[in-house]
Amino acid sequence: METPQALAPRNRPAARRFRRRLALTMLAYMAVLFPVGWMAHHHIQPPAPWLYLVGVAPALPILAAIWVILRYLAEEDDEYLRMLQVRTFVVATGLTLAVTSAWGFLQAYAGLPMIPLFYVFVIFALSQLVAGPVVMRCAWMTR
């Protein structure tokens, strides 16, 4: 029989695999992003076909991170934890849409500066950090 601590959401096998995969994906993201950023900062541009590959390269680990999230949802056998995680992703997506839409309106009507679109992923990641504890707390309070 497993101990209560072993059954905690963060100690479940699917959650451990999720954290490991996500950490590797974020390492890959940084490993790609830093050289691409360095090249852009130093105005180094490869020839046209390679330029597009370099430009899209940081998005590939982001796609991998989305796969990691979907894989976790497929592997987690506790339907309650799956539901809480889906709820977290939905709240994070809603926050991301709200923040980016508000910023877009402020750009159009109040003259705020434009921000690069790659910050949308950063906003989503930060939204997940905020949404996760809030969703878990709300779920705990309604039990």
Side-chain angles (χ1 to χ4, degrees), residues 2-43:
E2 296 184 82
T3 64
Q5 186 169 359
L7 295 175
R10 70 181 177 280
N11 292 330
R12 298 179 62 80
R16 286 194 309 267
R17 287 190 300 271
F18 170 72
R19 285 192 310 271
R20 184 177 58 247
R21 289 174 183 151
L22 192 60
L24 290 172
T25 303
M26 291 300 97
L27 284 173
Y29 180 64
M30 288 186 292
V32 172
L33 188 61
F34 285 123
V36 169
W38 183 86
M39 289 173 66
H41 181 74
H42 290 88
H43 306 289

Side-chain angles (χ1 to χ4, degrees), residues 45-64:
Q45 289 189 343
W50 296 105
L51 179 63
Y52 298 110
L53 180 62
V54 168
V56 172
L60 299 177
I62 293 173
L63 290 173

Side-chain angles (χ1 to χ4, degrees), residues 60-126:
L60 299 177
I62 293 173
L63 290 173
I66 294 167
W67 174 85
V68 166
I69 291 167
L70 294 173
R71 182 78 180 170
Y72 167 72
L73 293 174
E75 290 179 350
E76 179 56 68
D77 56 354
D78 186 318
E79 64 188 45
Y80 181 70
L81 292 177
R82 248 190 343 256
M83 183 268 308
L84 290 177
Q85 198 63 48
V86 167
R87 199 177 280 178
T88 298
F89 296 140
V90 169
V91 170
T93 301
L95 284 171
T96 302
L97 291 171
V99 167
T100 55
S101 295
W103 191 271
F105 287 121
L106 289 169
Q107 280 178 189
Y109 303 122
L112 262 61
M114 294 187 73
I115 58 171
L117 286 175
F118 59 77
Y119 282 115
V120 173
F121 179 69
V122 175
I123 294 167
F124 177 71
L126 293 174

